[in-house]
Amino acid sequence: MSLDVNVLQRRYAMLKDDRSGWETAWNELAELFLPCRYRQESDTSSHKSPRLNGRLVNSTGVLAMRTLAAGMQGGMTSPVRPWFRLKVRDDEGNEQASGLGPWLEEVTNRMQSILHESNFYNAIHGLYSDLGTFGTGLMIETADASGIQFHLVRAGEYFLDINANGEVDTFYRRLYMTARQIRQQWGEEKLPRHVLEAAKANTGSGSTTRFDVIHAVFPREDADRDGQLGPKAKAFCSVYWMPETSVNGHPVILDEGGYDTFPAFAPRWDVNGTDVYGRSPAMDVTPDVRMLQLMSSTFRKMQHKIADPALLVDAELQKFGVNISPNALNFVDMSSITAKGSMPVVPVYEPNVQALTAIMNGIADVERVVNEGLYTDLFRMMIDDDRRQITATEISARQQEKMILIGPVVERLQKELLSPLIQRTYQLMLEWGALPPAPDGIEAAALDVQFESVLASAQRITATSSIDQGFAFIANVAAADPSALDILDTDAMLKDYLDRLGMPEGCIRSDEDVAKLRQQKQEAQAQAQQQQEMASMGQMANDFTGAAKNLGQTPVGADGQTLMGTLLGGLNS
């Protein structure tokens, strides 16, 4: 079944209408926290000049958002330390995991290298800024022969839709492309005449004349995978079209393709019910940032009044004029002025210095609220300390309350962003032959991802306190009743504890190796005990021989008879 571009156009208009209620809020959030990132869908000047906010007089919101983005990247996807590893799901059994450890470690290392070679870390830093500001972000992952590429779509340029499970599975985005770019991307055959003429014009308009191109990706409900190849066999449809042209004003499809898996990640910071778009921490502190603009504006005005106040000037000076510039000289007849007994030039109003102090304290209090709302204290600690040295244990101990507050965000981003990202990257590596040769049994094993970032590890470490407290309690009871230790499965306890600490699997022996090691220890102990018993029996024999010798040499009478002879004589009598 072929695509109907008019149906696509109508759905695009509906998604655009559904998102219209968020645009006012996003526009204000961008002004206060992220001035250069947001573009309205109708904006046609994004390529000409950066978007700056000349009304911003206090940059606390902007700086705090910068810290949040850097802290989220350092805490969840740090480029300087491993933040994930592949493993076999716990319910798959040890028999399937046997021999997969080295292969999984090699796949993890290759995937980390591929992400470093791509623009992933640049793109995801911007994604964290969008999440903290707008509550929603969109990043697309594609691959070709040169490697993997990530594209961050700016807020305001995309429209989303969710499935029955509340998961984003559809996006539409607007591309404002030049005629030259459209010609390079899709060739001349599919281009409308006026676009092709603009691209070929000798006036240079091909690089300046821009046209709307819409890109949509959505589940293909009529996908036919039974022995077919091509776009219709893909689970997700990808289509580019121009919404209107000079050819009777009808939309024109430029390209139709597809993906086996959803190529985009659209995480939300927090979601209210069945909303498509998320809520952000910036929304919570927007009233405070508004207040900061007013308070800072008032404070600057008072400082200006002190530095350059309005003046009252004696009327006698009007005929001479007054120059109050630094180092200025005013030559006037002061006799008539000084006779009045007052200063010829005085300020109209002098602000109270104590009022300035009170305003400064008030501004500091509001800034503290903004920083707390954007987790600046938690992330500042991670940024100020050496990222290679700070541990999840330190974060958990020093910022326990903050970890509780940001915990749901970490869990949501792992589910909506990082897990799908690792899964799609693995699939792309498989398609482009970037995986090492797979061992036997990998087809039956279900792979999983364990996150080892600072924030993810800190979340797990909070659960180790229950193990510590439980073990300490049992140890105290065992001092009075040693049988209390029988309740502990120490192997399971140690594995769970080390897993929460993020101990690499390669550093922990398998159950089979542990059983063999313990068997060897038992056999060695039994052999040592047997040797000890044999040595003891030999010593006893030596002792008996020495005693008999002593009896045979010990005289007991005047006739020289020995003690052994006396005993033997007594036995024979």
Side-chain angles (χ1 to χ4, degrees):
M1 180 178 180
S2 61
L3 290 174
D4 187 343
V5 67
N6 293 308
V7 174
L8 296 175
Q9 187 72 20
R10 286 194 293 270
R11 189 179 185 190
Y12 172 70
M14 294 176 62
L15 293 178
K16 180 179 177 180
D17 182 67
D18 290 341
R19 204 206 64 183
S20 61
W22 294 84
E23 294 180 358
T24 302
W26 284 6
N27 185 61
E28 182 176 8
L29 288 168
E31 289 182 349
L32 298 176
F33 298 94
L34 210 61
C36 299
R37 189 62 60 81
Y38 175 71
R39 289 289 184 269
Q40 290 185 347
E41 195 273 341
S42 59
D43 187 4
T44 60
S45 62
S46 60
H47 60 286
K48 295 182 179 180
S49 61
R51 176 193 175 103
L52 300 177
N53 185 2
R55 296 177 296 173
L56 201 66
V57 294
N58 186 299
S59 59
T60 298
V62 176
L63 298 180
M65 188 55 61
R66 183 189 304 172
T67 301
L68 182 145
M72 289 295 292
Q73 179 160 8
M76 295 197 69
T77 53
S78 173
V80 299
R81 63 190 301 168
W83 52 273
F84 72 93
R85 63 183 171 92
L86 299 178
K87 67 174 187 176
V88 177
R89 289 183 183 174
D90 296 336
D91 56 358
E92 291 300 312
N94 294 328
E95 65 278 0
Q96 291 180 350
S98 178
L100 297 183
W103 183 81
L104 291 174
E105 184 176 356
E106 175 64 20
V107 174
T108 300
N109 293 335
R110 291 194 183 189
M111 190 177 297
Q112 291 173 347
S113 298
I114 288 175
L115 293 177
H116 273 285
E117 293 171 359
S118 70
N119 64 331
F120 166 72
Y121 290 103
N122 292 331
I124 201 166
H125 180 270
L127 183 65
Y128 288 134
S129 297
D130 287 352
L131 285 171
T133 303
F134 309 108
T136 308
L138 181 64
M139 183 172 69
I140 303 172
E141 181 183 14
T142 58
D144 55 26
S146 64
I148 290 179
Q149 300 87 33
F150 293 87
H151 177 69
L152 179 64
V153 184
R154 289 182 298 189
E157 294 181 345
Y158 60 80
F159 308 89
L160 306 177
D161 199 5
I162 58 177
N163 58 22
N165 297 324
E167 301 168 342
V168 176
D169 66 349
T170 299
F171 74 83
Y172 284 59
R173 60 174 177 142
R174 168 180 173 263
L175 305 173
Y176 198 53
M177 303 176 66
T178 65
R180 174 173 172 267
Q181 292 170 340
I182 298 174
R183 181 186 181 188
Q184 289 177 338
Q185 184 75 22
W186 294 288
E188 298 181 0
E189 292 77 9
K190 298 180 180 181
L191 265 61
R193 179 180 299 176
H194 69 293
V195 179
L196 185 58
E197 291 176 352
K200 291 183 175 181
N202 296 326
T203 60
S205 60
S207 299
T208 57
T209 306
R210 293 178 177 265
F211 301 91
D212 283 338
V213 176
I214 309 301
H215 179 210
V217 175
F218 51 89
R220 186 185 292 276
E221 298 179 358
D222 59 343
D224 184 4
R225 304 186 186 183
D226 296 334
Q228 290 195 12
L229 299 175
K232 292 185 178 181
K234 303 293 185 180
F236 290 87
C237 177
S238 174
V239 57
Y240 293 84
W241 80 90
M242 300 189 70
E244 54 183 317
T245 70
S246 61
V247 184
N248 299 324
H250 296 305
V252 174
I253 292 180
L254 298 175
D255 183 59
E256 179 183 353
Y259 299 97
D260 291 319
T261 59
F262 191 53
F265 317 103
R268 284 82 57 86
W269 186 277
D270 188 21
V271 177
N272 183 16
T274 58
D275 286 349
V276 175
Y277 301 95
R279 292 185 55 85
S280 70
M283 295 179 181
D284 299 330
V285 296
T286 295
D288 302 283
V289 178
R290 286 200 206 105
M291 186 186 304
L292 276 179
Q293 308 309 313
L294 297 176
M295 296 177 69
S296 298
S297 178
T298 301
F299 181 72
R300 298 306 179 192
K301 289 179 180 179
M302 294 182 68
Q303 286 182 316
H304 196 185
K305 289 179 180 179
I306 294 176
D308 189 14
L311 301 175
L312 290 174
V313 183
D314 194 296
E316 293 292 333
L317 294 178
Q318 185 175 7
K319 56 185 177 181
F320 301 106
V322 179
N323 184 358
I324 60 174
S325 301
N327 299 320
L329 297 176
N330 293 272
F331 298 96
V332 298
D333 183 5
M334 296 292 294
S335 58
S336 59
I337 298 176
T338 55
K340 298 179 180 179
S342 60
M343 295 296 296
V345 180
V346 296
V348 175
Y349 166 73
E350 295 184 8
N352 190 337
V353 177
Q354 294 181 349
L356 285 176
T357 303
I359 295 177
M360 290 177 59
N361 293 336
I363 291 176
D365 291 339
V366 179
E367 288 178 342
R368 190 177 303 111
V369 172
V370 174
N371 288 325
E372 289 180 356
L374 296 180
Y375 307 95
T376 302
D377 47 355
L378 171 64
F379 295 131
R380 177 62 64 183
M381 178 190 67
M382 298 169 56
I383 295 172
D384 290 342
D385 292 334
D386 187 350
R387 293 185 181 181
R388 294 169 296 178
Q389 300 297 329
I390 190 170
T391 65
T393 305
E394 292 173 333
I395 292 182
S396 180
R398 295 159 62 181
Q399 296 290 343
Q400 187 80 21
E401 295 181 0
K402 286 292 182 180
M403 290 306 306
I404 294 175
L405 295 177
I406 204 172
V409 179
V410 174
E411 294 291 335
R412 175 176 288 278
L413 293 185
Q414 288 178 354
K415 178 182 178 182
E416 294 190 353
L417 172 62
L418 301 182
S419 289
L421 185 145
I422 298 300
Q423 293 170 5
R424 175 160 174 79
T425 303
Y426 178 89
Q427 183 65 32
L428 292 175
M429 292 174 63
L430 178 62
E431 293 177 3
W432 290 92
L435 293 177
D440 295 336
I442 187 62
E443 297 82 3
L447 300 184
D448 200 359
V449 184
Q450 177 164 316
F451 296 102
E452 299 179 334
S453 63
V454 173
L455 289 178
S457 298
Q459 292 291 317
R460 293 197 302 269
I461 285 177
T462 55
T464 61
S465 59
S466 61
I467 300 177
D468 292 330
Q469 295 173 6
F471 185 78
F473 174 75
I474 294 175
N476 291 333
V477 175
D481 182 6
S483 63
L485 294 175
D486 297 340
I487 197 174
L488 279 179
D489 184 347
T490 54
D491 286 356
M493 180 184 68
L494 291 175
K495 285 183 178 180
D496 185 69
Y497 201 102
L498 294 177
D499 181 69
R500 295 180 186 279
L501 291 178
M503 175 74 76
E505 290 186 356
C507 299
I508 303 175
R509 291 189 174 95
S510 65
D511 292 342
E512 294 180 358
D513 292 340
V514 171
K516 292 179 181 179
L517 181 61
R518 288 174 175 173
Q519 181 67 26
Q520 293 172 359
K521 287 182 177 181
Q522 291 177 359
E523 293 176 354
Q525 185 177 3
Q527 185 177 2
Q529 184 176 359
Q530 184 179 5
Q531 293 175 352
Q532 184 177 3
E533 292 177 354
M534 292 178 64
S536 298
M537 293 176 64
Q539 183 64 36
M540 291 176 61
N542 292 334
D543 293 344
F544 179 78
T545 302
K549 182 178 180 181
N550 291 334
L551 290 174
Q553 295 177 353
T554 304
V556 294
D559 56 357
Q561 188 176 6
T562 62
L563 179 60
M564 177 63 74
T566 302
L567 293 174
L568 292 175
L571 293 174
N572 293 328
S573 60

